[in-house]
Amino acid sequence: MHLCKDCDSGELQCTKCIIGGHSRRPLHRIQRWNGNYFEDTSLANAGLTIDLGHNPVTCVAGHGKIQSHLITVMDINGLHNVRLCWCQCLRFSHLAEELFRRQWIPATLIRPGTAFTFRVMKHFQRLSHIARTTPWDFCNVIQRLTDNIQPDQLPDIYRSFNRVQRLWRISRAYKRAGVTMCHSIGTLPCLGLQCVSCPWPGRNIPDNWKDDPDV
Ligand SMILES: [Zn+2]
Ligand SMILES: [Zn+2]
Ligand SMILES: [Zn+2]
């Protein structure tokens, strides 16, 4: 029997039900009753696979080109093993693109083994701005959320996370500044924010401020 720690229902479920109920929530943490106690396990270990690409029903190759790949995904509740499955018969784009479509950022573009959810990147950016949390401390917290007994046994994600959080930060800055692929080098808008204390005609002082007799 299985118990999901993130569903808040507290009900025990058989393997079939826990897989069926989590096909759209693959980043929940589950435990399995081993006869003596509930031990931590993963949805991938229970048999859950996430289908990428086209709907398996419309496969023109009779599922002849199925690929399977196990990756580590970091979310705000810890690290997760996720088994991905896809068929390359028709319209399957690059694996990294498929992960982006799910709002997961791959750590590398060629056959990624690690990914980070948009959710965890936003979470870290807030913590970094408000609580001054460093990437190193954040990775330690995530590892201890995953396994507080032997965090050293988990995959080392610090270097990947640190690289991706820098990319995330700069891409958010580009987005806020309206930078698109159309801008070539030299025509990039400024990423810095304008000073709110300085006088800007039409914004915090009138357009005709020169006509003001008190100026
Ligand atoms: Zn759940
Ligand atoms: Zn059941
Ligand atoms: Zn197919």
Side-chain angles (χ1 to χ4, degrees):
M1 297 301 277
H2 294 85
L3 176 69
C4 180
K5 293 199 282 183
D6 293 315
C7 269
D8 298 326
S9 66
E11 61 181 336
L12 290 171
Q13 292 178 302
C14 68
T15 307
K16 190 177 170 199
C17 289
I18 200 120
I19 290 175
H22 284 86
S23 58
R24 295 186 180 187
R25 293 187 287 272
L27 302 180
H28 278 193
R29 297 164 298 171
I30 64 165
Q31 293 179 317
R32 186 178 67 90
W33 180 254
N34 63 7
N36 294 311
Y37 61 92
F38 281 104
E39 65 177 354
D40 287 342
T41 182
S42 67
L43 285 162
N45 283 345
L48 179 69
T49 52
I50 302 300
D51 291 319
L52 301 176
H54 68 71
N55 186 333
V57 177
T58 62
C59 182
V60 298
H63 309 289
K65 297 181 180 176
I66 294 285
Q67 305 272 328
S68 175
H69 187 48
L70 189 69
I71 66 167
T72 302
V73 181
M74 186 206 266
D75 199 10
I76 55 174
N77 56 0
L79 298 171
H80 307 268
N81 286 329
V82 178
R83 185 166 295 284
L84 304 172
C85 241
W86 68 93
C87 175
Q88 291 188 312
C89 72
L90 180 71
R91 289 201 302 269
F92 183 80
S93 55
H94 199 271
L95 176 57
E97 281 179 35
E98 292 288 340
L99 294 180
F100 274 118
R101 207 163 277 150
R102 296 191 77 91
Q103 302 204 331
W104 296 354
I105 308 175
T108 53
L109 295 180
I110 301 169
R111 204 162 175 82
T114 310
F116 305 91
T117 61
F118 282 18
R119 193 166 38 232
V120 80
M121 302 317 294
K122 285 181 185 170
H123 196 74
F124 169 71
Q125 201 175 11
R126 294 286 186 285
L127 281 172
S128 163
H129 285 162
I130 297 165
R132 303 283 175 247
T133 306
T134 64
W136 175 261
D137 290 339
F138 188 73
C139 287
N140 276 328
V141 169
I142 293 291
Q143 287 194 305
R144 288 198 170 269
L145 279 173
T146 311
D147 185 350
N148 202 21
I149 308 292
Q150 293 179 304
D152 301 341
Q153 302 293 314
L154 296 168
D156 183 13
I157 43 155
Y158 169 68
R159 287 181 64 188
S160 308
F161 178 77
N162 202 19
R163 191 174 64 248
V164 169
Q165 65 89 15
R166 286 194 201 113
L167 289 170
W168 175 263
R169 212 177 277 264
I170 192 71
S171 53
R172 299 276 286 185
Y174 279 148
K175 182 181 138 185
R176 295 237 163 88
V179 178
T180 67
M181 298 290 280
C182 307
H183 289 101
S184 57
I185 305 279
T187 62
L188 288 175
C190 180
L191 295 186
L193 295 177
Q194 290 179 330
C195 176
V196 292
S197 301
C198 285
W200 297 99
R203 296 189 206 168
N204 52 8
I205 57 171
D207 280 328
N208 60 345
W209 62 276
K210 285 185 181 170
D211 302 332
D212 190 331
D214 294 333
V215 173

